Amino acid sequence: EADIYQTPRYLVIGTGKKITLECSQTMGHDKMYWYQQDPGMELHLIHYSYGVNSTEKGDLSSESTVSRIRTEHFPLTLESARPSHTSQYLCASSRRGRQGNQPQHFGDGTRLSIL
Amino acid sequence: RKEVEQDPGPFNVPEGATVAFNCTYSNSASQSFFWYRQDCRKEPKLLMSVYSSGNEDGRFTAQLNRASQYISLLIRDSKLSDSATYLCVVTSSNSGYALNFGKGTSLLVTP
């Protein structure tokens, strides 16, 4: 089993609150990713990182921000949550590999509901 | 046009049947290919990588056709536990090798 952890698993919170979703991995992976997935829909990449101090925006525009101060930690922050942010957020990591052919390992996800 | 396209299904098959899924991708520079499995309300889990020469893992066979830009997954002797959504995944250099996911194909294996 991959060692990648997300907290909290579930979060129900009111509009306007600042939220940080935590993601940590103990595999020493350089690359980390955040995906957003609505029920029954496909995953969308919202952020990724090649390594410490590297962050990039993904294919889906998101109002969230990320940081990568340590290799093992890739938190995602919403400064002011809105109901449209309600979704499942999945964190993943992978080793750096030649031609990017390293598969990603996913955390259990955070189910976020904004009231 | 989406970068990775799959037939959403659902595929309803009896136990023991053989079922095949196809997936097409639009970026000819795509580098790596995978099949993931996702159970309802769970995270995706890697099922198998897809190699140019085709590869097999038990009851599962994956094939890649670069010329036609499609990937296939064959499941033989379906089990009830195979019921899940199967995600076709492609990576390309212009997205930092992040995974591009298809919407998935839903499989339901019935007794």
Side-chain angles (χ1 to χ4, degrees), chain A residues 37 42 50 101 104 107 111, chain B residues 2 32 36 38 41 43 96:
Chain A
Q37 185 180 32
E42 69 267 47
Y50 292 111
N101 60 349
Q104 295 180 4
R111 291 192 180 276
Chain B
K2 288 184 64 65
S32 304
Y36 276 71
Q38 187 172 27
R41 302 177 73 82
E43 77 277 17

Side-chain angles (χ1 to χ4, degrees), chain A residues 33 35 43-45 59 92 100 102-106, chain B residues 4 32 34 36 89-92 95-101:
Chain A
Y33 312 82
Y35 293 87
L43 284 89
H44 291 288
L45 178 69
D59 302 323
Q102 300 302 317
Q104 295 180 4
H105 300 279
F106 284 81
Chain B
V4 180
S32 304
F34 307 96
Y36 276 71
V89 184
V90 173
T91 69
S92 57
S95 64
Y97 298 110
L99 303 185
N100 291 306
F101 284 82

